[in-house]
Short mmCIF file of all heavy atoms in Angstrom, two decimals:
data_model
loop_
_atom_site.label_atom_id
_atom_site.label_comp_id
_atom_site.label_asym_id
_atom_site.label_seq_id
_atom_site.Cartn_x
_atom_site.Cartn_y
_atom_site.Cartn_z
N ASN P 1 0.86 -1.19 0.02
CA ASN P 1 -0.03 0.00 0.03
C ASN P 1 0.90 1.24 -0.03
O ASN P 1 1.74 1.36 0.91
CB ASN P 1 -0.84 -0.09 1.29
CG ASN P 1 -2.17 0.49 1.08
OD1 ASN P 1 -2.57 1.00 0.03
ND2 ASN P 1 -2.96 0.51 2.07
N PRO P 2 0.88 2.08 -0.90
CA PRO P 2 -0.06 2.30 -2.06
C PRO P 2 0.27 1.32 -3.14
O PRO P 2 1.37 0.72 -3.23
CB PRO P 2 0.22 3.73 -2.47
CG PRO P 2 1.58 4.12 -2.00
CD PRO P 2 1.79 3.23 -0.75
N ASN P 3 -0.65 1.16 -4.03
CA ASN P 3 -0.57 0.25 -5.15
C ASN P 3 -1.14 0.87 -6.43
O ASN P 3 -1.75 1.98 -6.37
CB ASN P 3 -1.21 -1.06 -4.77
CG ASN P 3 -2.69 -0.94 -4.60
OD1 ASN P 3 -3.41 -0.73 -5.59
ND2 ASN P 3 -3.15 -1.00 -3.39
N ALA P 4 -1.04 0.18 -7.50
CA ALA P 4 -1.52 0.61 -8.84
C ALA P 4 -2.90 0.05 -9.23
O ALA P 4 -3.28 0.19 -10.35
CB ALA P 4 -0.46 0.37 -9.87
N GLY P 5 -3.51 -0.55 -8.22
CA GLY P 5 -4.87 -1.13 -8.51
C GLY P 5 -4.89 -2.65 -8.35
O GLY P 5 -5.99 -3.25 -8.68
N VAL P 6 -3.79 -3.24 -8.07
CA VAL P 6 -3.68 -4.73 -7.82
C VAL P 6 -3.06 -4.88 -6.40
O VAL P 6 -2.02 -4.41 -6.21
CB VAL P 6 -2.88 -5.47 -8.88
CG1 VAL P 6 -2.77 -6.96 -8.65
CG2 VAL P 6 -3.50 -5.20 -10.24
N PHE P 7 -3.75 -5.63 -5.61
CA PHE P 7 -3.22 -5.94 -4.23
C PHE P 7 -3.69 -7.24 -3.74
O PHE P 7 -4.56 -7.87 -4.35
CB PHE P 7 -3.50 -4.82 -3.22
CG PHE P 7 -5.02 -4.45 -3.17
CD1 PHE P 7 -5.79 -4.99 -2.17
CD2 PHE P 7 -5.58 -3.53 -4.08
CE1 PHE P 7 -7.14 -4.65 -2.12
CE2 PHE P 7 -6.91 -3.27 -4.02
CZ PHE P 7 -7.67 -3.79 -2.99
N TYR P 8 -3.12 -7.71 -2.66
CA TYR P 8 -3.42 -9.04 -2.14
C TYR P 8 -3.88 -8.97 -0.61
O TYR P 8 -3.36 -8.14 0.06
CB TYR P 8 -2.18 -9.93 -2.21
CG TYR P 8 -1.68 -10.22 -3.61
CD1 TYR P 8 -0.89 -9.19 -4.25
CD2 TYR P 8 -2.06 -11.32 -4.34
CE1 TYR P 8 -0.48 -9.45 -5.58
CE2 TYR P 8 -1.67 -11.50 -5.63
CZ TYR P 8 -0.92 -10.59 -6.20
OH TYR P 8 -0.47 -10.77 -7.53
N THR P 9 -4.67 -9.83 -0.29
CA THR P 9 -5.07 -10.02 1.11
C THR P 9 -4.81 -11.43 1.66
O THR P 9 -4.85 -12.33 0.81
CB THR P 9 -6.63 -9.66 1.32
OG1 THR P 9 -7.37 -10.68 0.67
CG2 THR P 9 -6.92 -8.29 0.92
N ALA P 10 -4.44 -11.54 2.86
CA ALA P 10 -4.15 -12.93 3.43
C ALA P 10 -5.41 -13.76 3.56
O ALA P 10 -6.43 -13.19 3.97
CB ALA P 10 -3.45 -12.70 4.73
N GLY P 11 -5.34 -14.95 3.27
CA GLY P 11 -6.44 -15.84 3.47
C GLY P 11 -7.49 -15.82 2.36
O GLY P 11 -7.47 -15.00 1.47
N ASP P 12 -8.43 -16.71 2.51
CA ASP P 12 -9.64 -16.78 1.52
C ASP P 12 -10.80 -16.12 2.13
O ASP P 12 -11.23 -16.58 3.27
CB ASP P 12 -9.84 -18.22 1.23
CG ASP P 12 -10.89 -18.39 0.08
OD1 ASP P 12 -10.99 -17.50 -0.71
OD2 ASP P 12 -11.54 -19.44 0.08
N LEU P 13 -11.24 -15.08 1.62
CA LEU P 13 -12.33 -14.27 2.18
C LEU P 13 -13.66 -14.65 1.56
O LEU P 13 -13.72 -14.89 0.34
CB LEU P 13 -12.06 -12.79 2.08
CG LEU P 13 -10.69 -12.36 2.64
CD1 LEU P 13 -10.38 -10.93 2.26
CD2 LEU P 13 -10.81 -12.47 4.19
N ASP P 14 -14.77 -14.54 2.36
CA ASP P 14 -16.13 -14.83 1.87
C ASP P 14 -16.70 -13.74 1.00
O ASP P 14 -17.38 -14.01 -0.04
CB ASP P 14 -17.10 -15.19 2.95
CG ASP P 14 -16.66 -16.37 3.84
OD1 ASP P 14 -16.01 -17.29 3.26
OD2 ASP P 14 -16.84 -16.42 5.02
N GLN P 15 -16.54 -12.52 1.45
CA GLN P 15 -17.16 -11.34 0.77
C GLN P 15 -16.14 -10.23 0.80
O GLN P 15 -15.61 -9.86 1.79
CB GLN P 15 -18.42 -11.03 1.47
CG GLN P 15 -19.13 -9.86 0.85
CD GLN P 15 -20.42 -9.53 1.66
OE1 GLN P 15 -20.62 -9.98 2.78
NE2 GLN P 15 -21.33 -8.70 1.08
N ILE P 16 -15.88 -9.57 -0.37
CA ILE P 16 -14.99 -8.51 -0.46
C ILE P 16 -15.62 -7.41 -1.22
O ILE P 16 -16.24 -7.58 -2.20
CB ILE P 16 -13.69 -8.93 -1.22
CG1 ILE P 16 -13.00 -10.07 -0.62
CG2 ILE P 16 -12.76 -7.74 -1.41
CD1 ILE P 16 -11.84 -10.70 -1.47
N GLN P 17 -15.52 -6.12 -0.65
CA GLN P 17 -16.09 -4.96 -1.21
C GLN P 17 -15.09 -3.76 -1.07
O GLN P 17 -14.46 -3.67 0.01
CB GLN P 17 -17.40 -4.69 -0.39
CG GLN P 17 -18.30 -3.66 -1.07
CD GLN P 17 -19.56 -3.54 -0.26
OE1 GLN P 17 -19.57 -3.57 0.95
NE2 GLN P 17 -20.63 -3.23 -0.99
N LEU P 18 -14.96 -3.13 -2.18
CA LEU P 18 -14.07 -1.88 -2.20
C LEU P 18 -14.97 -0.65 -2.35
O LEU P 18 -15.79 -0.64 -3.24
CB LEU P 18 -13.00 -1.95 -3.27
CG LEU P 18 -11.94 -0.90 -3.27
CD1 LEU P 18 -11.06 -1.07 -2.04
CD2 LEU P 18 -11.11 -1.03 -4.53
N LEU P 19 -14.83 0.30 -1.43
CA LEU P 19 -15.69 1.45 -1.48
C LEU P 19 -14.81 2.68 -1.57
O LEU P 19 -13.73 2.73 -1.02
CB LEU P 19 -16.47 1.51 -0.09
CG LEU P 19 -17.31 0.32 0.22
CD1 LEU P 19 -17.72 0.45 1.61
CD2 LEU P 19 -18.39 0.11 -0.72
N ASP P 20 -15.34 3.72 -2.35
CA ASP P 20 -14.65 4.96 -2.32
C ASP P 20 -14.97 5.77 -1.03
O ASP P 20 -15.79 5.23 -0.24
CB ASP P 20 -14.92 5.81 -3.60
CG ASP P 20 -16.34 6.28 -3.70
OD1 ASP P 20 -17.08 6.25 -2.73
OD2 ASP P 20 -16.77 6.65 -4.82
N LEU P 21 -14.47 6.89 -0.81
CA LEU P 21 -14.68 7.63 0.45
C LEU P 21 -16.15 8.11 0.57
O LEU P 21 -16.55 8.55 1.71
CB LEU P 21 -13.70 8.72 0.65
CG LEU P 21 -12.26 8.22 0.92
CD1 LEU P 21 -11.36 9.43 1.09
CD2 LEU P 21 -12.22 7.37 2.12
N THR P 22 -16.93 8.15 -0.45
CA THR P 22 -18.36 8.50 -0.33
C THR P 22 -19.20 7.25 -0.06
O THR P 22 -20.40 7.40 0.16
CB THR P 22 -18.85 9.16 -1.66
OG1 THR P 22 -18.89 8.15 -2.72
CG2 THR P 22 -18.06 10.37 -2.01
N GLY P 23 -18.59 6.10 -0.05
CA GLY P 23 -19.29 4.92 0.31
C GLY P 23 -19.82 4.12 -0.91
O GLY P 23 -20.51 3.19 -0.83
N LYS P 24 -19.50 4.66 -2.07
CA LYS P 24 -19.91 4.01 -3.37
C LYS P 24 -19.02 2.84 -3.68
O LYS P 24 -17.78 2.95 -3.64
CB LYS P 24 -19.94 5.01 -4.51
CG LYS P 24 -20.59 4.54 -5.77
CD LYS P 24 -20.79 5.81 -6.64
CE LYS P 24 -19.52 6.13 -7.34
NZ LYS P 24 -19.67 7.13 -8.42
N PRO P 25 -19.64 1.64 -4.04
CA PRO P 25 -18.87 0.51 -4.37
C PRO P 25 -17.99 0.73 -5.63
O PRO P 25 -18.48 1.40 -6.55
CB PRO P 25 -19.88 -0.61 -4.58
CG PRO P 25 -21.09 -0.08 -3.97
CD PRO P 25 -21.06 1.38 -4.02
N VAL P 26 -16.86 0.14 -5.71
CA VAL P 26 -15.90 0.18 -6.85
C VAL P 26 -15.84 -1.18 -7.39
O VAL P 26 -15.75 -2.16 -6.68
CB VAL P 26 -14.53 0.74 -6.41
CG1 VAL P 26 -13.52 0.69 -7.61
CG2 VAL P 26 -14.67 2.12 -5.75
N SER P 27 -15.84 -1.34 -8.75
CA SER P 27 -15.77 -2.63 -9.40
C SER P 27 -14.41 -3.21 -9.24
O SER P 27 -13.40 -2.63 -9.51
CB SER P 27 -16.06 -2.44 -10.96
OG SER P 27 -17.42 -2.10 -11.09
N ILE P 28 -14.45 -4.48 -8.75
CA ILE P 28 -13.19 -5.23 -8.51
C ILE P 28 -13.40 -6.65 -9.17
O ILE P 28 -14.54 -7.09 -9.28
CB ILE P 28 -12.76 -5.27 -7.06
CG1 ILE P 28 -13.87 -5.96 -6.23
CG2 ILE P 28 -12.38 -3.92 -6.56
CD1 ILE P 28 -13.52 -6.26 -4.85
N GLU P 29 -12.30 -7.32 -9.34
CA GLU P 29 -12.21 -8.68 -9.71
C GLU P 29 -11.32 -9.35 -8.63
O GLU P 29 -10.31 -8.88 -8.21
CB GLU P 29 -11.59 -8.90 -11.10
CG GLU P 29 -12.41 -8.35 -12.21
CD GLU P 29 -11.84 -8.45 -13.60
OE1 GLU P 29 -10.61 -8.82 -13.60
OE2 GLU P 29 -12.47 -8.19 -14.56
N THR P 30 -11.81 -10.57 -8.22
CA THR P 30 -11.05 -11.29 -7.15
C THR P 30 -10.61 -12.67 -7.72
O THR P 30 -11.28 -13.21 -8.54
CB THR P 30 -11.89 -11.50 -5.88
OG1 THR P 30 -13.04 -12.24 -6.18
CG2 THR P 30 -12.21 -10.14 -5.30
N GLU P 31 -9.51 -13.13 -7.20
CA GLU P 31 -8.95 -14.39 -7.57
C GLU P 31 -8.42 -15.00 -6.37
O GLU P 31 -7.50 -14.48 -5.70
CB GLU P 31 -7.88 -14.26 -8.62
CG GLU P 31 -7.23 -15.53 -9.12
CD GLU P 31 -6.21 -15.37 -10.15
OE1 GLU P 31 -5.89 -14.23 -10.59
OE2 GLU P 31 -5.48 -16.32 -10.39
N SER P 32 -8.91 -16.26 -6.00
CA SER P 32 -8.44 -16.92 -4.85
C SER P 32 -7.19 -17.70 -5.20
O SER P 32 -7.26 -18.50 -6.10
CB SER P 32 -9.46 -17.92 -4.31
OG SER P 32 -10.55 -17.22 -3.76
N LEU P 33 -6.06 -17.46 -4.49
CA LEU P 33 -4.85 -18.14 -4.64
C LEU P 33 -4.67 -19.12 -3.51
O LEU P 33 -5.58 -19.27 -2.67
CB LEU P 33 -3.68 -17.14 -4.85
CG LEU P 33 -3.90 -16.12 -5.86
CD1 LEU P 33 -2.84 -14.97 -5.83
CD2 LEU P 33 -3.97 -16.76 -7.26
N GLN P 34 -3.51 -19.69 -3.31
CA GLN P 34 -3.32 -20.73 -2.29
C GLN P 34 -3.67 -20.24 -0.86
O GLN P 34 -4.47 -20.78 -0.21
CB GLN P 34 -1.92 -21.32 -2.31
CG GLN P 34 -1.76 -22.25 -3.44
CD GLN P 34 -0.44 -22.97 -3.31
OE1 GLN P 34 0.30 -22.87 -2.29
NE2 GLN P 34 -0.05 -23.76 -4.36
N ASP P 35 -2.93 -19.17 -0.46
CA ASP P 35 -3.23 -18.65 0.91
C ASP P 35 -3.46 -17.15 0.95
O ASP P 35 -3.29 -16.51 1.92
CB ASP P 35 -2.02 -19.07 1.79
CG ASP P 35 -0.75 -18.51 1.25
OD1 ASP P 35 -0.68 -18.07 0.14
OD2 ASP P 35 0.25 -18.65 2.07
N GLU P 36 -3.89 -16.66 -0.24
CA GLU P 36 -4.26 -15.22 -0.27
C GLU P 36 -5.21 -15.03 -1.38
O GLU P 36 -5.54 -15.85 -2.17
CB GLU P 36 -2.91 -14.34 -0.55
CG GLU P 36 -2.24 -14.65 -1.84
CD GLU P 36 -0.89 -14.00 -1.97
OE1 GLU P 36 -0.46 -13.36 -0.90
OE2 GLU P 36 -0.29 -14.08 -3.03
N THR P 37 -5.79 -13.80 -1.36
CA THR P 37 -6.73 -13.37 -2.44
C THR P 37 -6.20 -12.17 -3.23
O THR P 37 -5.77 -11.18 -2.60
CB THR P 37 -8.04 -13.02 -1.78
OG1 THR P 37 -8.66 -14.09 -1.10
CG2 THR P 37 -9.08 -12.57 -2.84
N LYS P 38 -6.20 -12.33 -4.53
CA LYS P 38 -5.73 -11.26 -5.41
C LYS P 38 -6.92 -10.38 -5.78
O LYS P 38 -7.97 -10.89 -6.14
CB LYS P 38 -5.08 -11.77 -6.59
CG LYS P 38 -4.69 -10.72 -7.65
CD LYS P 38 -4.09 -11.32 -8.91
CE LYS P 38 -3.67 -10.34 -9.93
NZ LYS P 38 -3.12 -10.94 -11.12
N ILE P 39 -6.81 -9.04 -5.52
CA ILE P 39 -7.86 -8.11 -5.79
C ILE P 39 -7.37 -7.20 -6.91
O ILE P 39 -6.32 -6.54 -6.72
CB ILE P 39 -8.31 -7.28 -4.55
CG1 ILE P 39 -8.74 -8.31 -3.46
CG2 ILE P 39 -9.29 -6.39 -4.87
CD1 ILE P 39 -9.06 -7.70 -2.15
N THR P 40 -8.11 -7.09 -8.01
CA THR P 40 -7.80 -6.15 -9.08
C THR P 40 -8.89 -5.14 -9.27
O THR P 40 -10.10 -5.58 -9.39
CB THR P 40 -7.60 -6.94 -10.35
OG1 THR P 40 -6.57 -7.90 -10.19
CG2 THR P 40 -7.07 -6.04 -11.52
N VAL P 41 -8.63 -3.83 -9.22
CA VAL P 41 -9.59 -2.78 -9.46
C VAL P 41 -9.78 -2.67 -11.00
O VAL P 41 -8.79 -2.61 -11.71
CB VAL P 41 -9.11 -1.44 -8.85
CG1 VAL P 41 -10.15 -0.36 -9.14
CG2 VAL P 41 -8.83 -1.59 -7.35
N VAL P 42 -11.03 -2.78 -11.45
CA VAL P 42 -11.31 -2.89 -12.86
C VAL P 42 -10.82 -1.59 -13.58
O VAL P 42 -10.20 -1.70 -14.58
CB VAL P 42 -12.83 -3.11 -13.10
CG1 VAL P 42 -13.11 -3.01 -14.56
CG2 VAL P 42 -13.27 -4.47 -12.50
N THR P 43 -11.18 -0.46 -13.04
CA THR P 43 -10.79 0.81 -13.63
C THR P 43 -10.11 1.67 -12.45
O THR P 43 -10.80 2.51 -11.84
CB THR P 43 -11.96 1.56 -14.20
OG1 THR P 43 -12.61 0.76 -15.11
CG2 THR P 43 -11.48 2.83 -15.02
N PRO P 44 -8.74 1.47 -12.20
CA PRO P 44 -8.18 2.11 -11.09
C PRO P 44 -8.12 3.64 -11.32
O PRO P 44 -7.72 4.18 -12.32
CB PRO P 44 -6.84 1.52 -11.01
CG PRO P 44 -6.58 0.80 -12.26
CD PRO P 44 -7.91 0.60 -12.91
N VAL P 45 -8.55 4.45 -10.30
CA VAL P 45 -8.43 5.88 -10.26
C VAL P 45 -7.66 6.16 -8.95
O VAL P 45 -8.05 5.64 -7.87
CB VAL P 45 -9.80 6.47 -10.28
CG1 VAL P 45 -9.71 8.03 -10.08
CG2 VAL P 45 -10.54 6.19 -11.56
N ALA P 46 -6.66 7.06 -9.02
CA ALA P 46 -5.89 7.33 -7.87
C ALA P 46 -6.80 7.91 -6.76
O ALA P 46 -7.73 8.69 -6.97
CB ALA P 46 -4.83 8.37 -8.29
N GLY P 47 -6.56 7.46 -5.57
CA GLY P 47 -7.31 7.93 -4.40
C GLY P 47 -7.19 7.03 -3.20
O GLY P 47 -6.48 6.02 -3.25
N ILE P 48 -8.08 7.33 -2.17
CA ILE P 48 -8.14 6.50 -1.00
C ILE P 48 -9.40 5.72 -1.02
O ILE P 48 -10.50 6.30 -1.28
CB ILE P 48 -7.99 7.40 0.29
CG1 ILE P 48 -6.67 8.13 0.23
CG2 ILE P 48 -8.16 6.54 1.52
CD1 ILE P 48 -6.51 9.17 1.32
N TYR P 49 -9.34 4.44 -0.67
CA TYR P 49 -10.54 3.56 -0.70
C TYR P 49 -10.60 2.83 0.60
O TYR P 49 -9.60 2.72 1.30
CB TYR P 49 -10.47 2.61 -1.83
CG TYR P 49 -10.46 3.26 -3.22
CD1 TYR P 49 -9.27 3.81 -3.78
CD2 TYR P 49 -11.66 3.49 -3.89
CE1 TYR P 49 -9.28 4.45 -4.98
CE2 TYR P 49 -11.66 4.15 -5.12
CZ TYR P 49 -10.48 4.65 -5.63
OH TYR P 49 -10.55 5.31 -6.81
N VAL P 50 -11.74 2.20 0.86
CA VAL P 50 -11.92 1.39 2.03
C VAL P 50 -12.19 -0.08 1.54
O VAL P 50 -13.09 -0.33 0.77
CB VAL P 50 -13.02 1.85 2.99
CG1 VAL P 50 -13.19 0.89 4.17
CG2 VAL P 50 -12.73 3.31 3.42
N LEU P 51 -11.36 -1.06 2.01
CA LEU P 51 -11.66 -2.39 1.70
C LEU P 51 -12.41 -3.03 2.89
O LEU P 51 -12.01 -2.94 4.00
CB LEU P 51 -10.31 -3.20 1.54
CG LEU P 51 -10.46 -4.71 1.20
CD1 LEU P 51 -11.00 -4.92 -0.15
CD2 LEU P 51 -9.10 -5.35 1.44
N ARG P 52 -13.55 -3.58 2.52
CA ARG P 52 -14.37 -4.30 3.59
C ARG P 52 -14.46 -5.79 3.19
O ARG P 52 -14.91 -6.09 2.10
CB ARG P 52 -15.79 -3.64 3.63
CG ARG P 52 -16.65 -4.25 4.79
CD ARG P 52 -17.98 -3.67 4.78
NE ARG P 52 -17.88 -2.25 5.03
CZ ARG P 52 -18.88 -1.37 4.72
NH1 ARG P 52 -19.98 -1.75 4.13
NH2 ARG P 52 -18.70 -0.13 4.97
N ALA P 53 -14.03 -6.65 4.05
CA ALA P 53 -13.97 -8.04 3.82
C ALA P 53 -14.62 -8.81 4.99
O ALA P 53 -14.49 -8.43 6.12
CB ALA P 53 -12.54 -8.52 3.65
N ARG P 54 -15.22 -9.95 4.64
CA ARG P 54 -15.96 -10.76 5.61
C ARG P 54 -15.37 -12.17 5.59
O ARG P 54 -15.26 -12.72 4.47
CB ARG P 54 -17.40 -10.81 5.32
CG ARG P 54 -18.18 -11.59 6.35
CD ARG P 54 -19.64 -11.56 5.99
NE ARG P 54 -20.24 -10.24 5.86
CZ ARG P 54 -20.83 -9.62 6.84
NH1 ARG P 54 -21.02 -10.12 7.99
NH2 ARG P 54 -21.31 -8.35 6.62
N LYS P 55 -15.08 -12.72 6.69
CA LYS P 55 -14.60 -14.08 6.88
C LYS P 55 -15.33 -14.72 8.04
O LYS P 55 -15.20 -14.24 9.12
CB LYS P 55 -13.05 -14.10 7.02
CG LYS P 55 -12.55 -15.55 7.28
CD LYS P 55 -12.70 -16.38 6.04
CE LYS P 55 -12.03 -17.72 6.32
NZ LYS P 55 -12.36 -18.66 5.28
N ASP P 56 -16.12 -15.67 7.69
CA ASP P 56 -17.11 -16.32 8.74
C ASP P 56 -17.95 -15.14 9.29
O ASP P 56 -18.73 -14.55 8.49
CB ASP P 56 -16.27 -16.98 9.87
CG ASP P 56 -15.39 -18.15 9.35
OD1 ASP P 56 -15.80 -18.78 8.36
OD2 ASP P 56 -14.29 -18.25 9.86
N ASN P 57 -17.90 -14.85 10.55
CA ASN P 57 -18.76 -13.73 11.12
C ASN P 57 -17.93 -12.45 11.43
O ASN P 57 -18.48 -11.58 12.08
CB ASN P 57 -19.45 -14.21 12.43
CG ASN P 57 -20.75 -14.89 11.98
OD1 ASN P 57 -21.23 -14.80 10.82
ND2 ASN P 57 -21.34 -15.70 12.90
N GLN P 58 -16.67 -12.44 10.93
CA GLN P 58 -15.85 -11.21 11.31
C GLN P 58 -15.80 -10.28 10.00
O GLN P 58 -15.67 -10.82 8.94
CB GLN P 58 -14.44 -11.68 11.61
CG GLN P 58 -14.33 -12.42 12.93
CD GLN P 58 -12.90 -12.73 13.34
OE1 GLN P 58 -12.14 -13.01 12.44
NE2 GLN P 58 -12.60 -12.60 14.57
N VAL P 59 -15.88 -9.06 10.28
CA VAL P 59 -15.75 -8.03 9.22
C VAL P 59 -14.44 -7.22 9.51
O VAL P 59 -14.23 -6.81 10.63
CB VAL P 59 -16.99 -7.04 9.18
CG1 VAL P 59 -16.79 -5.95 8.18
CG2 VAL P 59 -18.26 -7.78 8.91
N VAL P 60 -13.66 -7.09 8.46
CA VAL P 60 -12.40 -6.46 8.60
C VAL P 60 -12.40 -5.29 7.56
O VAL P 60 -12.83 -5.45 6.43
CB VAL P 60 -11.20 -7.36 8.22
CG1 VAL P 60 -9.90 -6.65 8.28
CG2 VAL P 60 -11.17 -8.58 9.18
N THR P 61 -11.97 -4.14 7.96
CA THR P 61 -11.85 -2.97 7.08
C THR P 61 -10.39 -2.53 7.08
O THR P 61 -9.64 -2.59 8.05
CB THR P 61 -12.75 -1.81 7.46
OG1 THR P 61 -12.42 -1.47 8.84
CG2 THR P 61 -14.14 -2.17 7.47
N GLN P 62 -9.93 -2.01 5.88
CA GLN P 62 -8.59 -1.60 5.77
C GLN P 62 -8.58 -0.42 4.70
O GLN P 62 -9.28 -0.49 3.71
CB GLN P 62 -7.72 -2.63 5.27
CG GLN P 62 -6.22 -2.30 5.14
CD GLN P 62 -5.33 -3.45 4.71
OE1 GLN P 62 -5.82 -4.61 4.57
NE2 GLN P 62 -4.08 -3.16 4.48
N LYS P 63 -7.77 0.55 4.95
CA LYS P 63 -7.55 1.65 4.06
C LYS P 63 -6.66 1.22 2.93
O LYS P 63 -5.63 0.68 3.16
CB LYS P 63 -7.03 2.91 4.74
CG LYS P 63 -6.84 4.13 3.83
CD LYS P 63 -6.39 5.30 4.61
CE LYS P 63 -5.02 5.21 5.02
NZ LYS P 63 -4.50 6.43 5.64
N ILE P 64 -7.06 1.55 1.68
CA ILE P 64 -6.25 1.17 0.49
C ILE P 64 -5.96 2.54 -0.34
O ILE P 64 -6.87 3.24 -0.48
CB ILE P 64 -7.02 0.22 -0.39
CG1 ILE P 64 -7.37 -1.12 0.32
CG2 ILE P 64 -6.19 -0.08 -1.69
CD1 ILE P 64 -6.22 -1.91 0.76
N ILE P 65 -4.69 2.66 -0.72
CA ILE P 65 -4.33 3.79 -1.45
C ILE P 65 -3.94 3.36 -2.79
O ILE P 65 -3.08 2.48 -3.01
CB ILE P 65 -3.19 4.60 -0.78
CG1 ILE P 65 -3.59 5.03 0.60
CG2 ILE P 65 -2.76 5.77 -1.69
CD1 ILE P 65 -2.45 5.60 1.38
N ILE P 66 -4.59 3.93 -3.90
CA ILE P 66 -4.28 3.63 -5.21
C ILE P 66 -3.63 4.86 -5.85
O ILE P 66 -4.09 5.94 -5.77
CB ILE P 66 -5.45 3.21 -6.07
CG1 ILE P 66 -6.10 1.92 -5.51
CG2 ILE P 66 -5.20 3.08 -7.53
CD1 ILE P 66 -7.35 1.48 -6.15
N ARG P 67 -2.44 4.64 -6.44
CA ARG P 67 -1.69 5.77 -7.02
C ARG P 67 -1.82 5.75 -8.52
O ARG P 67 -2.13 4.88 -9.20
CB ARG P 67 -0.28 5.81 -6.54
CG ARG P 67 0.45 4.56 -6.83
CD ARG P 67 1.89 4.60 -6.19
NE ARG P 67 2.35 3.41 -5.72
CZ ARG P 67 3.14 2.66 -6.39
NH1 ARG P 67 3.70 3.06 -7.51
NH2 ARG P 67 3.58 1.49 -5.92
#
């Protein structure tokens, strides 16, 4: 972090959502790898985003910076 629109998260997540700072969802593509998930922003625009991910009953949020 920062990245160019492609980043990875640890583990296999059930639900992944990327939001801009207004709360609007951003289009992403996900790919499950062995012990991580690859997330690619479809049309990356520089800025700050919020990644919201769910695994079982836990919700994790993380700030993502795209340059």
Side-chain angles (χ1 to χ4, degrees):
N1 213 356
N3 64 73
V6 177
F7 53 96
Y8 297 84
T9 62
D12 189 25
L13 302 170
D14 299 327
Q15 183 182 11
I16 301 171
Q17 194 175 33
L18 188 66
L19 307 169
D20 65 16
L21 290 182
T22 66
K24 192 168 76 173
V26 176
S27 295
I28 58 172
E29 295 176 351
T30 60
E31 180 182 352
S32 293
L33 305 173
Q34 282 189 9
D35 56 350
E36 60 187 6
T37 301
K38 178 182 177 182
I39 301 170
T40 304
V41 180
V42 174
T43 309
V45 176
I48 300 173
Y49 297 85
V50 175
L51 178 71
R52 185 180 298 158
R54 182 181 304 266
K55 177 67 175 168
D56 300 323
N57 275 343
Q58 292 185 322
V59 176
V60 178
T61 58
Q62 182 177 357
K63 180 174 73 172
I64 302 294
I65 300 171
I66 296 178
R67 54 184 148 102

